[in-house]
Amino acid sequence: MSESQAALEKLRAELAVLGVPDAYEIGDEVTLSVWIGLVVSFREGLYRWREGAVKCRHLGTDPVGCAIRVARRYAELRAHEPPWWEDLAKVLRGEGVKEHP
């Protein structure tokens, strides 16, 4: 297991503890999708997450602290879904979409 994979596994475990169970690795072994448009990657010893144009960094030695910050933003997004969410969900998943990623 690479350093990036191990770091993302730690982060995913911490996110699950904080109520973000749906985060998943997208297949490149360095990126975790938390919610539509909110992704976290690990490289060069840092967790880096972005949401649209907003980019943040967090020390790779602190997956708990990073998970807290990402989970907080996840909760904000879920509480106040962007107005484009429903339209995008229909396009990506079809008209029958009922739950968010």
Side-chain angles (χ1 to χ4, degrees), residues 22-36:
D22 298 331
Y24 61 94
E25 194 268 317
I26 66 168
D28 65 359
E29 299 181 357
V30 296
T31 308
L32 195 65
S33 178
V34 180
W35 199 67
I36 190 89

Side-chain angles (χ1 to χ4, degrees), residues 19-89:
V20 184
D22 298 331
Y24 61 94
E25 194 268 317
I26 66 168
D28 65 359
E29 299 181 357
V30 296
T31 308
L32 195 65
S33 178
V34 180
W35 199 67
I36 190 89
L38 177 60
V39 296
V40 182
S41 61
F42 183 87
R43 67 178 195 275
E44 300 170 358
L46 294 170
Y47 288 106
R48 302 165 191 264
W49 73 91
R50 67 182 187 275
E51 173 201 348
V54 176
K55 296 179 181 178
C56 301
R57 295 185 307 177
H58 197 90
L59 288 175
T61 57
D62 183 21
V64 175
C66 182
I68 290 169
R69 292 176 70 188
V70 171
R72 185 178 305 132
R73 185 61 187 139
Y74 170 84
E76 291 169 356
L77 287 169
R78 295 293 302 250
H80 305 287
E81 291 175 357
W84 47 262
W85 166 248
E86 287 300 324
D87 292 335
L88 180 61

